[in-house]
């Protein structure tokens, strides 16, 4: 049910529910955008097969992510092996995720009639855990989005974090403008997806793979609640896994798949940032970073990545 009522602290327009279907504990982190209030927590423990919900006011913006491999004993500073926010505590206290991190990003509507929410799942800071967003109780397209593929299993060696628990973005790994959409590559005309971004996009077609991936990666809904699931069920069909066609139910009861989403989403607010470029605590406003390659070294990386990707697809077929 959509929460939409007045209380002394403001008007609440949405409920965010976190569900952990991983076979390990996840510690979600929460970062509110500039000018919007923090939610009731900025980080918490979410044991496997549990859930927790929070209310957010109309107009709220921010991002969520899952930290893994965390050790907090209550007697001193703690940390997480992936997506750590650097606070030394379970609460992130206004700090963002250290890449690589799978990010869920939201800008809720103002609450006025027809005011849309915008949301996306971004891999431009890399990947650490599978995640999907599902909307309920809203009107409009209200598509599910995210990444159900375990990219850690198929991450190219040059992007893999040493222990294999996360997969870097090309920007984080190489720091070049053509991968980061920076310097001369900071416009839609000059920022193009690299083979690494294409790898992420093929595995997770609805997730952001580079800075100007708006048309296929930003989604809208009006008056909805949202559920974010870590480690959702992975499709067993190779076609389903490659296409990642998370079906959308329209108001008239018909359905569309990912490649049929409307292009009107190009006017949505830009998704979150690359922590390696802007600082992990910078909030969700700046553009994210990953882009194309032009030099011979980058081309060699790209060819290696594509070979790894197609080998991965062959494994997927037989799993």
């Amino acid at each position: 049910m959509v929460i939409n009522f007045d209380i002394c602290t403001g008007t609440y327009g949405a409920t965010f529910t976190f569900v952990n279907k991983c076979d390990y504990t996840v510690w979600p982190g929460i970062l509110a955008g500039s000018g919007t209030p923090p939610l009731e927590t900025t980080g918490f423990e979410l044991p496997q097969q549990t859930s927790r919900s929070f209310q957010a006011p109309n107009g709220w913006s921010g991002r969520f992510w899952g930290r893994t491999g965390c050790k907090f004993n209550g007697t001193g500073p703690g940390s997480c092996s992936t997506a750590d926010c650097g606070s030394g505590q379970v609460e992130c206290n206004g700090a963002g995720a250290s890449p690589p991190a799978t990010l869920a990003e939201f800008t809720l509507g103002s609450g006025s009639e027809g005011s849309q929410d915008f949301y996306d799942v971004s891999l431009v800071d890399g990947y650490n855990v599978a995640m999907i967003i599902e909307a309920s109780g809203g009107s409009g397209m209200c598509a599910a989005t995210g990444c159900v593929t375990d990219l850690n299993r198929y991450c190219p060696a040059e992007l893999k974090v040493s222990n294999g628990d996360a997969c870097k973005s090309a920007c984080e790994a190489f720091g070049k403008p053509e991968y980061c959409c920076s310097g001369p590559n900071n416009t839609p005309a000059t920022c193009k997806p690299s083979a690494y971004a294409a790898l992420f996009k093929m595995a997770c077609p609805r997730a952001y793979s580079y800075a100007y991936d708006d048309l296929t990666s930003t989604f809208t809904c009006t008056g909805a609640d949202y559920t974010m699931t870590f480690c959702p069920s992975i499709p067993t069909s190779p076609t389903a896994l490659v296409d990642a066609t998370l079906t959308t139910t329209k108001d008239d009861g018909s359905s569309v798949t990912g490649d049929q989403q409307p292009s009107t989403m190009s006017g949505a607010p830009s998704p979150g940032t690359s922590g390696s470029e802007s600082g992990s605590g910078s909030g969700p406003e700046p553009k994210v970073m990953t882009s194309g390659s032009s030099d011979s070294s980058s081309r060699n990386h790209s060819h290696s990545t594509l070979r790894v990707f197609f080998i991965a697809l062959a494994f997927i077929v037989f799993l």
Side-chain angles (χ1 to χ4, degrees):
M1 181 178 70
V2 177
I3 305 297
N4 194 3
F5 54 89
D6 291 317
I7 61 175
C8 61
T9 57
T11 301
Y12 281 79
T15 296
F16 292 121
T17 299
F18 299 83
V19 178
N20 182 12
K21 291 188 177 180
C22 303
D23 58 4
Y24 50 84
T25 297
V26 173
W27 284 259
I30 303 174
L31 177 63
S34 176
T36 62
L39 302 186
E40 64 181 80
T41 182
T42 60
F44 60 98
E45 181 178 355
L46 190 66
Q48 62 187 80
Q49 305 305 317
T50 64
S51 64
R52 184 171 174 180
S53 298
F54 302 96
Q55 294 173 343
N58 289 319
W60 187 86
S61 68
R63 59 176 56 164
F64 308 105
W65 65 96
R67 295 169 288 170
T68 66
C70 301
K71 295 181 180 179
F72 299 107
N73 59 20
T75 60
S79 63
C80 303
S81 61
T82 75
D84 190 39
C85 56
S87 67
Q89 304 174 4
V90 174
E91 295 277 346
C92 285
N93 299 323
S98 176
T102 311
L103 300 175
E105 302 171 314
F106 286 86
T107 298
L108 299 182
S110 64
S112 59
E113 185 176 353
S115 180
Q116 292 180 319
D117 303 334
F118 293 90
Y119 58 97
D120 68 84
V121 169
S122 174
L123 305 180
V124 296
D125 271 5
Y127 170 99
N128 73 317
V129 64
M131 178 198 298
I132 60 171
I133 299 171
E134 297 172 285
S136 62
S139 60
M141 295 300 293
C142 300
T145 185
C147 184
V148 300
T149 305
D150 183 1
L151 289 179
N152 292 331
R153 297 179 64 186
Y154 311 113
C155 184
E158 58 268 36
L159 301 186
K160 185 175 294 186
V161 172
S162 59
N163 58 10
D165 291 336
C167 189
K168 296 179 182 179
S169 69
C171 176
E172 176 74 8
F174 310 125
K176 295 184 176 182
E178 57 265 32
Y179 290 120
C180 297
C181 292
S182 59
N185 300 89
N186 66 349
T187 69
T190 58
C191 177
K192 303 299 181 183
S194 67
Y196 294 104
L199 185 158
F200 284 13
K201 196 65 177 178
M202 290 180 72
C204 303
R206 291 194 177 191
Y208 261 87
S209 61
Y210 80 109
Y212 296 101
D213 200 7
D214 304 85
L215 288 179
T216 60
S217 306
T218 301
F219 296 87
T220 62
C221 193
T222 301
D225 292 333
Y226 298 95
T227 298
M228 279 148 287
T229 303
F230 299 105
C231 303
S233 299
I234 297 176
T236 56
S237 162
T239 301
L241 189 54
V242 175
D243 292 344
T245 51
L246 301 169
T247 303
T248 301
T249 301
K250 298 166 65 177
D251 292 339
D252 61 6
S254 62
S255 62
V256 296
T257 54
D259 58 357
Q260 297 172 314
Q261 293 302 308
S263 60
T264 54
M265 296 174 195
S266 60
S270 298
T273 80
S274 170
S276 60
E277 289 295 317
S278 59
S280 59
S282 61
E285 291 82 1
K287 275 287 185 181
V288 289
M289 302 178 179
T290 300
S291 187
S293 165
S294 58
D295 62 22
S296 59
S297 174
S298 299
R299 284 195 294 271
N300 289 335
H301 283 310
S302 299
H303 295 159
S304 172
T305 301
L306 289 177
R307 284 196 297 271
V308 171
F309 182 72
F310 286 113
I311 291 171
L313 288 183
F315 275 110
I316 291 171
V317 170
F318 293 104
L319 287 179

